[in-house]
Amino acid sequence: QVHLVESGGGVVQPGTSLRLSCSASGFNFENYGMHWVRQAPDTGLEWVALISFDGSITYYSDSLKGRFTISRDNSKSTLFLQMNSLRAEDTAVYYCTKDQSPEDYLWGTFQYWGQGTLVTVSS
Amino acid sequence: EIVLTQSPATLSLSPGERATLSCRASQSVNSYITWYQQKPGQAPRLLIFETSNRATGVPARFSGSGSGTDFTLTITSLEPEDFAVYYCQQRSNWPPFTFGPGTKVDIK
């Protein structure tokens, strides 16, 4: 059974940094692309970032303007999201998701989701 | 960026009724439309991928159809656990992967 468990969220001040983690189990983590998707309070879903199975390929939402970095440690089946220069508009629940496809560039179906971790950016 | 619009925003129905949810794309997404269900306080759940393929464990009362720019999620007979928000999402032209704003199916 696939499990994705996010951690690292919290309340931070604007301009500061935060690192989210996602611990994965129940599947061959090293074979799949992974994503972060966020959901601001009482709003819809927004894709944040994608990383290929080996970490060699990454994509980001343009709205992040280079402030976030996605990475992974396959030896520990863990996904990360480094978030810098945080803004109030980054306040959201951040979900770690497993892509359905084991093939590069056939990404984009979010097969399994963690329960999310809440990031609140407020002074 | 492909923009997805969903209608209606809210659908008020009774258990046992048929629900028809619409998703329209700003340009053709071929068959690369996915549907998710989200209940309050929970993460989204994959329902339908590539327009019409049910994910593992999804009941047969859920079905998807469409092509090009117009897609539909149908729930043939609503069960109490089906009252939720439903999102469509495209993976035809990315980045970014984009979601619709959602349709809330609530109890009439």
Side-chain angles (χ1 to χ4, degrees):
Chain A
Q1 192 174 3
V2 173
H3 281 293
L4 300 169
V5 180
E6 302 92 338
S7 60
V11 180
V12 296
Q13 293 193 334
T16 60
S17 299
L18 204 58
R19 190 193 199 201
L20 306 182
S21 299
C22 170
S23 178
S25 61
F27 67 103
N28 292 328
F29 180 77
E30 65 272 18
N31 289 348
Y32 288 88
M34 298 291 294
H35 305 258
W36 288 98
V37 175
R38 69 183 181 183
Q39 186 170 34
D42 298 319
T43 63
L45 300 164
E46 179 188 17
W47 172 78
V48 171
L50 154 69
I51 188 166
S52 63
F53 73 99
D54 62 356
S56 62
I57 303 168
T58 57
Y59 289 94
Y60 298 92
S61 170
D62 285 348
S63 67
L64 302 178
K65 294 181 170 42
R67 297 180 296 119
F68 290 12
T69 302
I70 188 172
S71 62
R72 65 192 295 160
D73 183 343
N74 285 347
S75 69
K76 296 181 179 179
S77 297
T78 303
L79 177 72
F80 301 102
L81 185 68
Q82 178 67 43
M83 305 186 292
N84 298 331
S85 304
L86 283 161
R87 306 168 179 170
E89 54 264 37
D90 296 318
T91 294
V93 174
Y94 285 74
Y95 294 103
C96 161
T97 76
K98 170 192 174 293
D99 201 283
Q100 184 181 52
S101 175
E103 295 190 39
D104 285 352
Y105 298 101
L106 297 183
W107 299 302
T109 299
F110 309 115
Q111 185 183 24
Y112 292 102
W113 300 61
Q115 279 304 110
T117 187
L118 176 62
V119 173
T120 304
V121 184
S122 174
S123 55
Chain B
E1 174 175 326
I2 293 179
V3 177
L4 300 178
T5 56
Q6 292 186 243
S7 61
T10 303
L11 194 53
S12 296
L13 295 168
S14 300
E17 290 193 295
R18 181 185 188 93
T20 303
L21 288 67
S22 174
C23 176
R24 177 165 289 177
S26 58
Q27 64 189 76
S28 176
V29 295
N30 298 296
S31 63
Y32 298 126
I33 277 288
T34 306
W35 292 92
Y36 302 89
Q37 176 194 65
Q38 187 177 33
K39 298 179 182 179
Q42 296 186 17
R45 169 198 178 195
L46 173 64
L47 284 182
I48 302 280
F49 62 96
E50 292 183 8
T51 297
S52 59
N53 297 281
R54 280 190 301 277
T56 302
V58 175
R61 63 181 180 273
F62 291 90
S63 64
S65 63
S67 64
T69 60
D70 291 293
F71 299 86
T72 300
L73 174 69
T74 301
I75 311 170
T76 51
S77 179
L78 283 163
E79 297 287 339
E81 62 267 28
D82 299 337
F83 292 93
V85 179
Y86 293 84
Y87 295 96
C88 61
Q89 174 249 324
Q90 68 82 25
R91 68 173 188 89
S92 175
N93 190 342
W94 61 272
F97 302 102
T98 52
F99 292 86
T103 290
K104 182 179 182 180
V105 179
D106 66 13
I107 301 177
K108 188 174 181 180

